[in-house]
Amino acid sequence: MVSAQSNLLEAQNSLAGLEESLTMLKRQINLMIGRNMGSPLEITNIMAPPIAIEPAPPYTVALIDHFIDNNYELKTLERTKAEYKDTDLTELGSDERKSLDQDIKATDMQITAKKESIENNLKSLLAKINSDGKAYQVARDKYVNEKKLFEFTKLKYERGMISQLEFMQAELALNSAELQWMQAGYAYHNDWQKYNALQEGITLTAYDAM
């Protein structure tokens, strides 16, 4: 009897913790999509067939060039280099010319490093979009299955066929699956948000930290 009560209490505590995590995640998603933080988050058509996950674009030279051409930091470095080269050398002394030459070489190194960084980050991001897309699909399918199982378990509980503990364990599994699904969707959405921002040449520190 004591063991049963202990298991029930543990299930109640776990369920409360998951519900709190779900609430916090829903608030984050509301903020991300521009809604009031306290608004109820409605997920519609959950029992509909899984939606197709959009694959990341192929990693091509054309795509790399597009990201490089639009990168704001790289444009700033290119402008700095151009300004250095436009300097009137006739007004500079020998030491000043050497210093200018060093500045140009340093900027060239920064430009090269930035281009390499853009290429590597793009490649990693495309791979992450695809892997997170698959994880999102798996998590969604799991939630749909857990939802069906929970409805069946709920029916058995209402008919007195199973204990409260078994019912709560099913509810716990459902909430856990929902949390994993929403976390996966949150990550996948952030991948595309970052891709779209970087495509326009914007580097967002907030996305880099995610």
Side-chain angles (χ1 to χ4, degrees):
M1 183 66 177
V2 174
S3 178
Q5 290 178 338
S6 176
N7 290 337
L8 183 60
L9 180 60
E10 182 179 349
Q12 289 173 332
N13 290 335
S14 297
L15 191 58
L18 272 177
E19 288 175 347
E20 183 178 351
S21 296
L22 275 170
T23 298
M24 292 301 297
L25 184 56
K26 288 175 181 178
R27 287 178 177 176
Q28 286 180 312
I29 294 175
N30 274 329
L31 286 174
M32 183 173 62
I33 62 179
R35 298 179 61 192
N36 184 281
M37 186 173 65
S39 299
L41 184 68
E42 297 180 1
I43 310 291
T44 58
N45 298 325
I46 185 59
M47 299 306 292
I51 58 173
I53 300 298
E54 184 179 355
Y59 184 65
T60 63
V61 173
L63 187 65
I64 295 171
D65 288 343
H66 176 74
F67 272 68
I68 286 177
D69 291 342
N70 285 0
N71 187 269
Y72 178 77
E73 293 180 17
L74 197 53
K75 287 180 180 179
T76 300
L77 288 171
E78 294 282 6
R79 282 197 299 270
T80 299
K81 178 182 175 180
E83 289 172 1
Y84 284 149
K85 289 200 167 187
D86 287 342
T87 302
D88 186 357
L89 299 180
T90 61
E91 298 182 359
L92 300 180
S94 175
D95 290 341
E96 290 174 317
R97 290 184 182 185
K98 288 181 180 179
S99 177
L100 178 62
D101 186 54
Q102 290 175 349
D103 287 339
I104 292 174
K105 290 179 180 179
T107 305
D108 276 333
M109 292 177 64
Q110 287 180 287
I111 290 172
T112 299
K114 186 60 183 178
K115 287 181 178 180
E116 290 178 355
S117 175
I118 292 171
E119 291 184 32
N120 294 332
N121 289 341
L122 175 59
K123 187 175 184 179
S124 297
L125 180 57
L126 296 179
K128 191 172 187 301
I129 287 174
N130 288 330
S131 62
D132 283 351
K134 291 177 182 178
Y136 172 66
Q137 184 68 70
V138 169
R140 185 187 188 283
D141 291 344
K142 182 179 180 182
Y143 174 77
V144 170
N145 290 334
E146 289 293 346
K147 180 71 173 177
K148 293 177 180 177
L149 288 173
F150 174 75
E151 293 299 333
F152 180 64
T153 303
K154 181 181 179 182
L155 183 62
K156 291 199 296 183
Y157 176 67
E158 290 173 345
R159 293 181 178 180
M161 299 171 63
I162 60 173
S163 66
Q164 182 183 4
L165 177 59
E166 289 175 289
F167 173 72
M168 292 192 68
Q169 287 173 334
E171 189 175 9
L172 188 62
L174 174 63
N175 283 358
S176 178
E178 183 182 10
L179 181 61
Q180 291 174 16
W181 169 47
M182 296 185 74
Q183 287 174 329
Y186 187 68
Y188 182 63
H189 178 80
N190 274 332
D191 291 342
W192 277 110
Q193 290 287 90
K194 183 176 181 180
Y195 176 87
N196 292 331
L198 294 177
Q199 187 174 216
E200 298 301 320
I202 303 170
T203 301
L204 300 180
T205 305
Y207 289 105
D208 291 336
M210 293 177 181

